[in-house]
Amino acid sequence: MLLKTVSSSSSSALSLVSFHGGIKDVSPLLSSVSSPIDSSSKGKLSVSVRASKISTADALSGVVFQPFEEVKKELDLVPTSSDLSLARQKYSDECEAAINEQINVEYNLSYVYHAMYAYFDRDNVALKGLAKFFKESSVEEREHAEKLMEYQNKRGGKVKLQSIVVPLSEFEHVDKGDALYGMELALSLEKLVNEKLLNLHSVASKNGDVHLADFIESEFLTEQVEAIKKISEYVAQLRRVGKGHGTWHFNQMLLEQ
């Protein structure tokens, strides 16, 4: 860059000349101060240059950031009541209610799996592998409910637990047998949960809640699809082996996993 001063008897101008030939006016950034004409200057006006107090960001980009002014509207949104969340921001009542509904779904599923664990653990049923599988499934669904509760609190919502439906206690089926019937029931429940999660994701999208949508996608949907695939394979295997000795071998496979 080359700074060039142009002097005349009537006016002075200051330009910024680039090596590529372009000229940019920097008069908002710099100011000039003239001095009296003396005999040695031969009629020319002497110019000195100093920095102006005008912000370079204002002059060059036109963008003005005034944090204390812009934050005023946010300060007005901070609740003063002690029973209201301070962390809540752009979290709709519909999303809050949908999260509470999903918590109830997860707890209901956990309760059903716990009942299935108790059934297969009976001494006259004695399918310890299936009992182990459904006990682990019950714990996993309860962890899902707790994860949703933690998220609800993180966003400034209120967790409202709902009643849980009393599950079945008997899973014997005359034609299919208890193992196949129980696994088909598990598959239908996992598909139902997946549908509920998709509904929750739809609520988040409708309300423009990007964070909630991402949370459902990253923490639940992939895992749910994988669970449906695994249980579908179990159902197919039990249909092949039939009741009796084949079920016992399937049970041993689950026990050793």
Side-chain angles (χ1 to χ4, degrees):
M1 289 287 184
L2 175 63
L3 191 64
K4 184 174 71 174
T5 304
V6 181
S7 302
S8 67
S9 59
S10 60
S11 64
S12 65
L14 188 63
S15 299
L16 193 63
V17 183
S18 70
F19 290 115
H20 299 288
I23 298 177
K24 183 173 183 178
D25 181 24
V26 293
S27 56
L29 307 182
L30 301 173
S31 60
S32 63
V33 180
S34 61
S35 61
I37 301 174
D38 57 21
S39 57
S40 60
S41 62
K42 297 182 180 180
K44 293 183 179 180
L45 181 66
S46 176
V47 179
S48 63
V49 179
R50 69 185 180 188
S52 172
K53 294 182 179 180
I54 299 175
S55 169
T56 57
D58 295 352
L60 295 179
S61 66
V63 177
V64 179
F65 178 52
Q66 297 176 317
F68 294 105
E69 289 295 326
E70 295 182 23
V71 82
K72 284 182 179 179
K73 61 181 181 181
E74 300 296 336
L75 286 173
D76 292 337
L77 298 177
V78 176
T80 57
S81 177
S82 60
D83 63 336
L84 297 177
S85 170
L86 296 173
R88 187 164 186 147
Q89 183 184 27
K90 299 186 184 301
Y91 189 50
S92 69
D93 292 340
E94 187 177 7
C95 288
E96 180 182 358
I99 285 285
N100 282 328
E101 290 178 5
Q102 189 63 35
I103 291 171
N104 182 254
V105 169
E106 302 290 345
Y107 269 129
N108 271 281
L109 187 56
S110 175
Y111 211 32
V112 172
Y113 283 156
H114 220 172
M116 296 172 78
Y117 148 70
Y119 170 84
F120 287 106
D121 192 53
R122 293 177 186 174
D123 66 286
N124 59 337
V125 178
L127 291 172
K128 297 293 185 179
L130 283 160
K132 172 176 173 284
F133 172 77
F134 287 118
K135 184 177 183 180
E136 291 173 349
S137 298
S138 176
V139 171
E140 182 179 349
E141 299 307 326
R142 187 170 69 249
E143 289 175 349
H144 288 171
E146 292 172 354
K147 185 180 291 186
L148 288 164
M149 292 169 71
E150 180 182 350
Y151 182 83
Q152 183 80 291
N153 287 334
K154 187 180 295 183
R155 292 296 303 274
K158 291 184 178 180
V159 174
K160 296 181 180 179
L161 297 180
Q162 304 167 29
S163 60
I164 299 177
V165 179
V166 178
L168 298 172
S169 58
E170 302 295 329
F171 299 94
E172 181 60 60
H173 194 280
V174 175
D175 299 323
K176 299 178 180 179
D178 49 10
L180 176 57
Y181 175 69
M183 202 60 72
E184 286 181 345
L185 177 59
L187 178 59
S188 64
L189 288 171
E190 292 295 335
K191 287 185 175 182
L192 176 62
V193 171
N194 189 54
E195 183 178 340
K196 296 293 186 180
L197 286 169
L198 292 173
N199 290 339
L200 176 57
H201 187 276
S202 177
V203 171
S205 300
K206 183 178 70 172
N207 286 274
D209 197 324
V210 179
H211 192 277
L212 177 56
D214 178 70
F215 173 72
I216 298 302
E217 291 174 8
S218 60
E219 298 291 336
F220 290 94
L221 291 182
T222 299
E223 181 180 332
Q224 199 63 33
V225 170
E226 292 173 350
I228 291 172
K229 174 63 163 56
K230 181 177 72 172
I231 296 177
S232 296
E233 292 174 348
Y234 287 168
V235 169
Q237 291 168 7
L238 284 168
R239 286 177 177 177
R240 285 181 178 274
V241 301
K243 298 186 293 183
H245 196 63
T247 299
W248 184 86
H249 278 289
F250 179 83
N251 174 77
Q252 292 302 111
M253 177 195 73
L254 292 180
L255 191 60
E256 294 169 1
Q257 282 185 351

CSV table of all heavy atoms in Angstrom, one decimal, residues 151-174:
chain,number,residue,atom,x,y,z
A,151,TYR,N,-32.9,-34.7,30.3
A,151,TYR,CA,-33.0,-33.7,29.2
A,151,TYR,C,-34.1,-32.7,29.5
A,151,TYR,O,-33.9,-31.5,29.3
A,151,TYR,CB,-33.3,-34.4,27.9
A,151,TYR,CG,-33.4,-33.4,26.7
A,151,TYR,CD1,-32.2,-33.0,26.1
A,151,TYR,CD2,-34.6,-32.9,26.3
A,151,TYR,CE1,-32.3,-32.1,25.0
A,151,TYR,CE2,-34.7,-32.0,25.3
A,151,TYR,CZ,-33.5,-31.6,24.6
A,151,TYR,OH,-33.6,-30.7,23.6
A,152,GLN,N,-35.2,-33.1,30.1
A,152,GLN,CA,-36.3,-32.2,30.4
A,152,GLN,C,-35.8,-31.2,31.4
A,152,GLN,O,-36.1,-30.0,31.3
A,152,GLN,CB,-37.4,-33.1,31.1
A,152,GLN,CG,-38.7,-32.3,31.4
A,152,GLN,CD,-39.6,-32.0,30.2
A,152,GLN,OE1,-39.2,-31.2,29.3
A,152,GLN,NE2,-40.7,-32.6,30.2
A,153,ASN,N,-35.1,-31.6,32.4
A,153,ASN,CA,-34.6,-30.6,33.4
A,153,ASN,C,-33.5,-29.7,32.8
A,153,ASN,O,-33.4,-28.5,33.2
A,153,ASN,CB,-33.9,-31.4,34.6
A,153,ASN,CG,-35.0,-32.0,35.5
A,153,ASN,OD1,-36.1,-31.6,35.6
A,153,ASN,ND2,-34.6,-33.1,36.2
A,154,LYS,N,-32.8,-30.2,31.9
A,154,LYS,CA,-31.7,-29.4,31.2
A,154,LYS,C,-32.3,-28.3,30.4
A,154,LYS,O,-31.8,-27.2,30.4
A,154,LYS,CB,-30.8,-30.3,30.3
A,154,LYS,CG,-29.6,-29.6,29.7
A,154,LYS,CD,-28.9,-30.6,28.8
A,154,LYS,CE,-28.3,-31.7,29.6
A,154,LYS,NZ,-27.5,-32.6,28.8
A,155,ARG,N,-33.5,-28.5,29.8
A,155,ARG,CA,-34.1,-27.5,29.0
A,155,ARG,C,-35.0,-26.6,29.8
A,155,ARG,O,-35.6,-25.7,29.2
A,155,ARG,CB,-34.9,-28.2,27.9
A,155,ARG,CG,-34.1,-28.9,26.8
A,155,ARG,CD,-33.2,-27.9,26.0
A,155,ARG,NE,-33.9,-26.8,25.4
A,155,ARG,CZ,-34.5,-26.9,24.2
A,155,ARG,NH1,-34.4,-28.1,23.5
A,155,ARG,NH2,-35.1,-25.9,23.7
A,156,GLY,N,-35.2,-26.9,31.1
A,156,GLY,CA,-36.0,-26.0,31.9
A,156,GLY,C,-37.4,-26.4,32.0
A,156,GLY,O,-38.3,-25.7,32.5
A,157,GLY,N,-37.7,-27.7,31.6
A,157,GLY,CA,-39.1,-28.2,31.7
A,157,GLY,C,-39.3,-28.8,33.1
A,157,GLY,O,-38.4,-28.9,33.9
A,158,LYS,N,-40.5,-29.3,33.3
A,158,LYS,CA,-40.8,-30.0,34.5
A,158,LYS,C,-41.2,-31.4,34.2
A,158,LYS,O,-42.1,-31.7,33.4
A,158,LYS,CB,-42.0,-29.3,35.3
A,158,LYS,CG,-41.6,-27.9,35.8
A,158,LYS,CD,-42.7,-27.3,36.6
A,158,LYS,CE,-42.3,-26.0,37.2
A,158,LYS,NZ,-43.5,-25.4,38.0
A,159,VAL,N,-40.6,-32.4,34.9
A,159,VAL,CA,-40.9,-33.8,34.7
A,159,VAL,C,-42.2,-34.1,35.5
A,159,VAL,O,-42.4,-33.8,36.7
A,159,VAL,CB,-39.8,-34.7,35.3
A,159,VAL,CG1,-40.2,-36.2,35.2
A,159,VAL,CG2,-38.5,-34.5,34.5
A,160,LYS,N,-43.2,-34.7,34.8
A,160,LYS,CA,-44.5,-35.0,35.3
A,160,LYS,C,-44.7,-36.5,35.0
A,160,LYS,O,-45.1,-36.9,33.9
A,160,LYS,CB,-45.6,-34.2,34.8
A,160,LYS,CG,-45.5,-32.7,35.2
A,160,LYS,CD,-46.6,-31.9,34.6
A,160,LYS,CE,-46.5,-30.4,35.0
A,160,LYS,NZ,-47.6,-29.5,34.5
A,161,LEU,N,-44.4,-37.4,36.0
A,161,LEU,CA,-44.6,-38.8,35.8
A,161,LEU,C,-46.1,-39.1,35.8
A,161,LEU,O,-46.9,-38.6,36.6
A,161,LEU,CB,-43.9,-39.6,36.9
A,161,LEU,CG,-42.4,-39.4,37.0
A,161,LEU,CD1,-41.8,-40.2,38.1
A,161,LEU,CD2,-41.7,-39.8,35.7
A,162,GLN,N,-46.4,-40.1,35.0
A,162,GLN,CA,-47.8,-40.5,34.8
A,162,GLN,C,-48.0,-42.0,35.3
A,162,GLN,O,-47.0,-42.7,35.6
A,162,GLN,CB,-48.3,-40.4,33.4
A,162,GLN,CG,-48.1,-38.9,32.9
A,162,GLN,CD,-48.2,-38.8,31.4
A,162,GLN,OE1,-48.9,-39.6,30.7
A,162,GLN,NE2,-47.5,-37.9,30.8
A,163,SER,N,-49.2,-42.4,35.4
A,163,SER,CA,-49.4,-43.8,35.8
A,163,SER,C,-48.9,-44.8,34.8
A,163,SER,O,-48.9,-44.6,33.6
A,163,SER,CB,-50.9,-44.0,36.1
A,163,SER,OG,-51.7,-43.8,34.9
A,164,ILE,N,-48.6,-46.0,35.3
A,164,ILE,CA,-48.1,-47.1,34.5
A,164,ILE,C,-49.1,-48.2,34.5
A,164,ILE,O,-49.7,-48.6,35.5
A,164,ILE,CB,-46.8,-47.6,35.1
A,164,ILE,CG1,-45.7,-46.5,35.1
A,164,ILE,CG2,-46.3,-48.8,34.2
A,164,ILE,CD1,-44.4,-46.9,35.7
A,165,VAL,N,-49.4,-48.7,33.3
A,165,VAL,CA,-50.4,-49.8,33.1
A,165,VAL,C,-49.9,-51.1,33.7
A,165,VAL,O,-48.7,-51.4,33.5
A,165,VAL,CB,-50.7,-50.0,31.6
A,165,VAL,CG1,-51.7,-51.1,31.4
A,165,VAL,CG2,-51.2,-48.7,31.0
A,166,VAL,N,-50.7,-51.8,34.3
A,166,VAL,CA,-50.4,-53.2,34.9
A,166,VAL,C,-50.1,-54.1,33.7
A,166,VAL,O,-51.0,-54.3,32.9
A,166,VAL,CB,-51.5,-53.7,35.8
A,166,VAL,CG1,-51.1,-55.1,36.3
A,166,VAL,CG2,-51.7,-52.7,37.0
A,167,PRO,N,-48.9,-54.7,33.7
A,167,PRO,CA,-48.6,-55.6,32.5
A,167,PRO,C,-49.1,-57.0,32.8
A,167,PRO,O,-49.6,-57.4,33.8
A,167,PRO,CB,-47.1,-55.6,32.6
A,167,PRO,CG,-46.7,-55.4,34.0
A,167,PRO,CD,-47.8,-54.5,34.6
A,168,LEU,N,-49.0,-57.8,31.7
A,168,LEU,CA,-49.4,-59.2,31.8
A,168,LEU,C,-48.4,-59.9,32.7
A,168,LEU,O,-47.3,-59.5,32.9
A,168,LEU,CB,-49.4,-59.9,30.4
A,168,LEU,CG,-50.3,-59.3,29.3
A,168,LEU,CD1,-50.0,-60.0,28.0
A,168,LEU,CD2,-51.8,-59.6,29.8
A,169,SER,N,-48.8,-61.0,33.3
A,169,SER,CA,-48.0,-61.8,34.1
A,169,SER,C,-47.8,-63.2,33.5
A,169,SER,O,-46.9,-64.0,34.0
A,169,SER,CB,-48.5,-61.9,35.5
A,169,SER,OG,-49.8,-62.5,35.5
A,170,GLU,N,-48.6,-63.6,32.6
A,170,GLU,CA,-48.5,-64.9,31.9
A,170,GLU,C,-48.3,-64.7,30.4
A,170,GLU,O,-48.9,-63.9,29.8
A,170,GLU,CB,-49.8,-65.7,32.1
A,170,GLU,CG,-50.2,-65.9,33.6
A,170,GLU,CD,-49.2,-66.8,34.3
A,170,GLU,OE1,-48.6,-67.7,33.7
A,170,GLU,OE2,-49.1,-66.6,35.5
A,171,PHE,N,-47.3,-65.5,29.9
A,171,PHE,CA,-46.9,-65.4,28.5
A,171,PHE,C,-46.9,-66.7,27.7
A,171,PHE,O,-46.4,-66.8,26.7
A,171,PHE,CB,-45.5,-64.7,28.4
A,171,PHE,CG,-45.5,-63.4,29.0
A,171,PHE,CD1,-45.1,-63.2,30.4
A,171,PHE,CD2,-45.9,-62.2,28.3
A,171,PHE,CE1,-45.1,-61.9,30.9
A,171,PHE,CE2,-45.9,-61.0,28.9
A,171,PHE,CZ,-45.5,-60.8,30.2
A,172,GLU,N,-47.6,-67.7,28.3
A,172,GLU,CA,-47.7,-69.0,27.6
A,172,GLU,C,-48.7,-68.8,26.5
A,172,GLU,O,-49.7,-68.1,26.6
A,172,GLU,CB,-48.2,-70.0,28.6
A,172,GLU,CG,-48.4,-71.4,28.0
A,172,GLU,CD,-47.1,-71.9,27.5
A,172,GLU,OE1,-46.1,-72.1,28.2
A,172,GLU,OE2,-47.0,-72.2,26.2
A,173,HIS,N,-48.4,-69.5,25.4
A,173,HIS,CA,-49.2,-69.5,24.2
A,173,HIS,C,-49.3,-70.9,23.7
A,173,HIS,O,-48.3,-71.6,23.5
A,173,HIS,CB,-48.6,-68.6,23.1
A,173,HIS,CG,-49.6,-68.3,22.0
A,173,HIS,ND1,-49.8,-69.1,21.0
A,173,HIS,CD2,-50.4,-67.2,21.8
A,173,HIS,CE1,-50.7,-68.6,20.1
A,173,HIS,NE2,-51.1,-67.4,20.6
A,174,VAL,N,-50.5,-71.4,23.4
A,174,VAL,CA,-50.8,-72.8,23.1
A,174,VAL,C,-50.0,-73.2,21.8
A,174,VAL,O,-49.4,-74.2,21.7
A,174,VAL,CB,-52.3,-73.1,23.0
A,174,VAL,CG1,-52.5,-74.5,22.5
A,174,VAL,CG2,-53.0,-72.8,24.3
